[in-house]
Amino acid sequence: MTTRIAVIGAGLMGADHAKIVAEDLPGATLQLVCDRDEARARAVANALGASDISTNPEGVIARHDVDAVIIASPDFTHAPLSQACIAAGKRVLCEKPLSPSSAQCVAVMEAEQKAGAKFVQIGFMRRYDRSYQEMKRALSGGGLGRPLMMHNFHRNVETPAADFTGAMAITNSAPHEFDVVRYVLDTEYASISAFQPKRSDARVAPVFMVLQTVDGQLVNIEINNNAAYGYDVRAELIGEQGAVAMNNVAYTRLDSALAQSTGYDADWRTRYADAYRRQNRDFLRFVTTGEFPGTAADCWDGYCAATVADAGVKSLNEGRNVSVQMIEKPEFYA
Ligand code: ISE
């Protein structure tokens, strides 16, 4: 018996998830591709052999021939479509962020608690990346001593959308670091300060953030959506007894003309291909067994990332340090 999965959103991420489901997720079938743009949905569906297409996300979620859903539509649709999946009793892998608004994340958590079970897995796939998992193991192994700081930078070749802003760097790109740093350090954030340097052109300048954790650690995050040279994400965790740093992942080194060089990925889809694959296989197990995967991010994690993003945008706009105000963690998510 195969698990029939519908992918909502046929853009960059939706097409990538659809390809994973169709070609690299044993036990699953790409049942349907949905997008407001019918031609875009049809192009992805035809390329990957999906049974059907749709332009109606709510209708797709209700269909009897859809067992599970992957949401990869625009960020503002993530929370309402996740709530529709919960109401329909269907498990969903929701691309990050769960919502750009922490208040919407609370509504989704309330819907899950009312339903009495977890339905939503959030697409914070960095947790599945070998580099971050080795960092987490190095910390839990005790050799680093107590963690003091974590430095992070996240560089894209260019902004994923023409209307991308500094605030979106915080609400769309930075949630990866907000989540994975929490996951590695096993802590929460107490405050955030966000800054931007001035570029000489009209492109979105990097956003540089300094965060304090509730355990007195310092975290800095650089989000540069117009780095130009390559897709480059790295981190270094500094403890009282040692440090662990992430290397740039390169499978070859080119030696030529008295020089050596290694390459960068063009974007996240190839750099994190293995992490997406592992995340999506965990999602399939979640759908078939009902057991939420230990590595995966849930709605509480989605809420935490959105809450620190809200505070980060406030800090960027007001030019001051902003405390991160969170609700009490519901027992349901303990
Ligand atoms: C994009 O939405 C992603 O999720 C990528 O992982 C990230 O690198 C990029 O900055 C985001 O815009």
Side-chain angles (χ1 to χ4, degrees):
M1 180 66 179
T2 183
T3 299
R4 298 162 297 182
I5 295 179
V7 174
I8 297 176
L12 219 51
M13 274 319 303
D16 207 49
H17 279 298
K19 185 172 174 60
I20 294 170
V21 172
E23 300 177 356
D24 204 355
L25 197 57
T29 299
L30 178 63
Q31 187 69 6
L32 184 150
V33 177
C34 174
D35 195 282
R36 294 290 186 198
D37 177 336
E38 183 176 344
R40 194 159 77 160
R42 190 173 303 285
V44 173
N46 289 349
L48 297 169
S51 311
D52 200 356
I53 67 157
S54 171
T55 58
N56 171 7
E58 291 77 11
V60 163
I61 291 166
R63 283 175 58 143
H64 294 297
D65 62 344
V66 169
D67 303 311
V69 178
I70 294 179
I71 298 172
S73 41
D75 294 359
F76 72 92
T77 66
H78 292 182
L81 290 178
S82 294
Q83 284 176 275
C85 288
I86 295 168
K90 296 195 180 169
R91 292 204 161 85
V92 53
L93 173 60
C94 176
E95 259 298 332
K96 40 59 63 183
L98 174 58
S99 171
S101 145
S102 55
Q104 279 198 349
C105 295
V106 171
V108 182
M109 287 197 287
E110 286 169 351
E112 268 194 330
Q113 292 170 81
K114 187 176 172 203
K118 286 186 180 180
F119 284 88
V120 186
Q121 179 179 331
I122 313 288
F124 284 128
M125 74 350 191
R126 299 264 188 93
R127 292 166 172 239
Y128 289 88
D129 177 59
R130 182 172 168 181
S131 306
Y132 288 107
Q133 294 200 338
E134 286 188 13
M135 277 189 153
K136 191 169 173 68
R137 274 200 299 276
L139 185 57
S140 57
L144 302 183
R146 184 179 175 281
L148 290 169
M149 297 173 286
M150 191 161 168
H151 306 302
N152 305 269
F153 64 70
H154 170 173
R155 297 171 181 161
N156 286 254
V157 173
E158 57 184 2
T159 47
D163 59 352
F164 213 80
T165 64
M168 286 171 73
I170 298 174
T171 63
N172 172 275
S173 299
H176 278 302
E177 274 74 19
F178 294 151
D179 176 70
V180 80
V181 168
R182 279 183 67 241
Y183 174 68
V184 170
L185 295 181
D186 191 20
T187 187
E188 297 299 352
Y189 301 108
S191 70
I192 184 170
S193 293
F195 311 89
Q196 269 189 297
K198 295 225 176 301
R199 283 187 63 108
S200 61
D201 56 23
R203 291 174 177 271
V204 178
V207 177
F208 187 83
M209 293 164 273
V210 179
L211 301 95
Q212 285 185 292
T213 73
V214 296
D215 295 314
Q217 295 134 342
L218 283 178
V219 173
N220 63 272
I221 301 171
E222 170 208 322
I223 303 289
N224 185 353
N225 292 101
N226 285 297
Y229 70 84
Y231 185 73
D232 189 4
V233 174
R234 279 179 271 174
E236 182 171 14
L237 197 172
I238 294 84
E240 291 177 352
Q241 308 301 327
V244 56
M246 193 181 289
N247 298 319
N248 177 49
V249 176
Y251 296 99
T252 56
R253 183 195 70 227
L254 177 66
D255 296 325
S256 167
L258 303 181
Q260 58 180 277
S261 64
T262 58
Y264 286 99
D265 287 287
D267 70 36
W268 57 89
R269 290 170 295 171
T270 48
R271 166 64 186 80
Y272 291 111
D274 184 51
Y276 279 112
R277 189 180 303 113
R278 292 162 72 188
Q279 168 193 260
N280 290 21
R281 290 188 180 183
D282 250 5
F283 173 62
L284 183 59
R285 277 190 287 274
F286 175 34
V287 174
T288 54
T289 68
E291 288 165 32
F292 194 81
T295 303
D298 62 17
C299 285
W300 172 254
D301 299 309
Y303 165 75
C304 292
T307 301
V308 67
D310 282 345
V313 171
K314 189 174 178 68
S315 173
L316 186 67
N317 293 338
E318 299 179 9
R320 65 181 179 85
N321 180 264
V322 174
S323 65
V324 178
Q325 304 286 342
M326 299 216 300
I327 63 170
E328 194 72 28
K329 185 173 187 178
E331 186 60 35
F332 182 83
Y333 292 100

